[in-house]
Amino acid sequence: MGRETKTQILTIIKFDNLNDVPLAKETCTYPRIKTTLRFSARYPIEFHQLHPRYKVNNRKSFCSGRKGYMVAPQDHEYLVMGGANRASVGRLLSFAASAISGGLVFGILYAINLAEQLGWNVNAPPTLLSLAGAGAVFGILYWVLNKWAWRWPGIGTFLKVPDVSGIWDCQGKTLALDGSTKFDWKAEVTIVQCWDKLRIRLATKTSSSSSISAALAHDSVDGFVLLYHYRNDPRPEAVELKTHTGCAVITIAKDVKSADGEYFNGRGRMTFGTMIWTKRN
């Protein structure tokens, strides 16, 4: 008599990678297995029966296969080569914060002294002075720089960080080993960027990819060079495609309106080709 295998019912909900919209719902029976689930950027997983996209405990994750890793798309830090050193910028912000804080504290104390001379009973709570401290001012200055100021004329020129955020139209070609075109494809590239974080998402009809790491290099001749490492996940209906990682090198024009470059994919796709990006107005 064979050994009895315990089973359990699992409901799998497939989600659209771009809009987080449920696409299909499946219920299946599979052998009960021991699992290790830790919700972090990367963690071991043994759900080798599951579809590459599913949701667990209301957390969207991506499975790379048997005993692989889950990677959740998110904004990430990026390196700036040839631009202003971030540590030096931080020191400049600290000097500015100290000067502004000293001026604010002096102004508050002067106002209190003037009020007392006029016979007004004014007391400055410690909280007011702490809000004018150098630490608080530094936090505000960094927040403004990270969100908006890095794009302003003058500051952006000093930092040498191009504003590549927005939506780009992509015309791609997958090439054969002899350099001929195997097939053409189109995609939409969405870039989310602030001064210290970046995310690049490229979406086609059959799959979408999100950057894992990236670097921007200032090129005094050609403009800027964007290098990024990405992970590609096929859509549920593209059953012939596999999850894979790859790299792209994109040269961005000085006016940040057009770009071109090349890409190559690793295990799971093993393809390479070229891309031309055009930024939407």
Side-chain angles (χ1 to χ4, degrees), residues 107-186:
I108 292 172
L109 296 178
Y110 178 80
I112 293 174
N113 183 56
L114 181 61
E116 290 178 348
Q117 291 179 5
L118 295 175
W120 299 345
N121 186 15
V122 178
N123 292 319
T127 305
L128 180 61
L129 295 178
S130 65
L131 290 176
V137 175
F138 177 87
I140 294 173
L141 290 178
Y142 186 88
W143 178 71
V144 172
L145 174 66
N146 187 48
K147 291 293 183 180
W148 302 289
W150 68 276
R151 293 187 174 98
W152 296 349
I155 296 180
T157 303
F158 168 74
L159 297 176
K160 293 183 180 180
V161 179
D163 182 7
V164 298
S165 62
I167 299 177
W168 301 68
D169 293 314
C170 173
Q171 299 284 341
K173 289 185 178 182
T174 298
L175 304 178
L177 292 177
D178 59 1
S180 61
T181 301
K182 295 176 66 174
F183 55 85
D184 298 316
W185 49 271
K186 295 181 179 180

Side-chain angles (χ1 to χ4, degrees), residues 11-15 22-26 53-55:
T11 300
I12 304 174
I13 304 176
K14 301 176 183 178
F15 281 77
L23 299 176
K25 183 176 181 180
E26 298 178 0
R53 281 164 298 285
Y54 63 93
K55 203 162 188 175

Side-chain angles (χ1 to χ4, degrees), residues 137-268:
V137 175
F138 177 87
I140 294 173
L141 290 178
Y142 186 88
W143 178 71
V144 172
L145 174 66
N146 187 48
K147 291 293 183 180
W148 302 289
W150 68 276
R151 293 187 174 98
W152 296 349
I155 296 180
T157 303
F158 168 74
L159 297 176
K160 293 183 180 180
V161 179
D163 182 7
V164 298
S165 62
I167 299 177
W168 301 68
D169 293 314
C170 173
Q171 299 284 341
K173 289 185 178 182
T174 298
L175 304 178
L177 292 177
D178 59 1
S180 61
T181 301
K182 295 176 66 174
F183 55 85
D184 298 316
W185 49 271
K186 295 181 179 180
E188 180 183 89
V189 181
T190 302
I191 301 180
V192 179
Q193 182 189 13
C194 60
W195 182 56
D196 63 357
K197 288 193 176 182
L198 179 77
R199 181 186 169 193
I200 306 163
R201 188 194 68 185
L202 185 148
T204 68
K205 293 181 179 180
T206 57
S207 67
S208 66
S209 63
S210 289
S211 59
I212 301 172
S213 60
L216 269 170
H218 178 261
D219 190 323
S220 58
V221 177
D222 295 326
F224 302 92
V225 178
L226 172 64
L227 308 95
Y228 70 98
H229 171 215
Y230 59 84
R231 173 188 172 89
N232 181 280
D233 291 282
R235 294 182 179 274
E237 63 272 15
V239 294
E240 73 282 1
L241 300 180
K242 296 181 180 179
T243 296
H244 63 276
T245 59
C247 293
V249 181
I250 308 296
T251 301
I252 304 172
K254 290 184 178 181
D255 60 1
V256 199
K257 297 295 183 181
S258 61
D260 63 87
E262 55 189 34
Y263 72 93
F264 61 92
N265 296 315
R267 184 177 60 182

